[in-house]
Amino acid sequence: MSDETIFDKIIAREIPADIVYEDDRALAFRDINPTAPTHLLVIPKRRIATVNDVTPEDEADLGHLFVVAREIAEREGVAEDGYRLVVNCNAHGGQSVYHIHMHLIAGQALGWPPFPR
Ligand code: AMP
């Protein structure tokens, strides 16, 4: 397991965040550097560094992220128009925070595919 990240500090309320959802195993908050009108991050409270570290024991926590994403998409009013859920892994995936997280990006039509740098 890699070291604690800034997301652990958000979970512990040691640094501020615009939290939009919390339950016993997940937290969702607004991305500090939004790439679209709605850009939220949905994270498990129990830290898993990357998708490469996922084990069968993580299935419930990670599956729960989809339930939370569905709930907050509805609350944010973007469910019907649609949105994108993204999980980046390691350098080539563009991961910068090593606490697994799902981006929920919405509020405008998004391009596809994501191009290489
Ligand atoms: P990724 O690049 O997939 O690891 O995504 C990490 C995301 O976390 C980026 O979109 C950052 O803008 C966001 N981020 C970093 N620090 C904070 C913070 N303190 N509060 C909210 N979002 C953050």
Side-chain angles (χ1 to χ4, degrees):
M1 180 67 76
S2 63
D3 292 339
E4 197 170 276
T5 75
I6 197 159
F7 290 175
D8 290 289
K9 291 184 167 44
I10 290 173
I11 293 166
R13 306 300 204 277
E14 291 169 7
I15 63 166
D18 188 353
I19 294 170
V20 300
Y21 178 94
E22 181 170 25
D23 64 24
D24 57 335
R25 54 184 174 183
L27 190 73
F29 48 94
R30 295 191 193 283
D31 196 294
I32 204 167
N33 185 23
T35 60
T38 301
H39 187 170
L40 303 168
L41 299 172
V42 189
I43 70 171
K45 287 186 169 174
R46 191 172 57 80
R47 179 160 37 94
I48 302 161
T50 80
V51 175
N52 289 338
D53 301 297
V54 169
T55 70
E57 286 71 49
D58 301 322
E59 283 181 6
D61 280 354
L62 296 180
H64 185 59
L65 299 187
F66 281 88
V67 176
V68 174
R70 195 265 307 146
E71 165 74 24
I72 60 178
E74 187 74 37
R75 284 193 202 175
E76 294 282 322
V78 300
E80 191 168 331
D81 282 344
Y83 49 93
R84 184 167 297 162
L85 301 176
V86 175
V87 180
N88 296 323
C89 182
N90 277 348
H92 281 191
Q95 186 172 6
S96 60
V97 179
Y98 285 80
H99 180 133
I100 206 166
H101 50 280
M102 178 184 277
H103 296 255
L104 190 161
I105 303 165
Q108 63 186 58
L110 302 169
W112 188 262
F115 293 107
R117 284 189 191 186

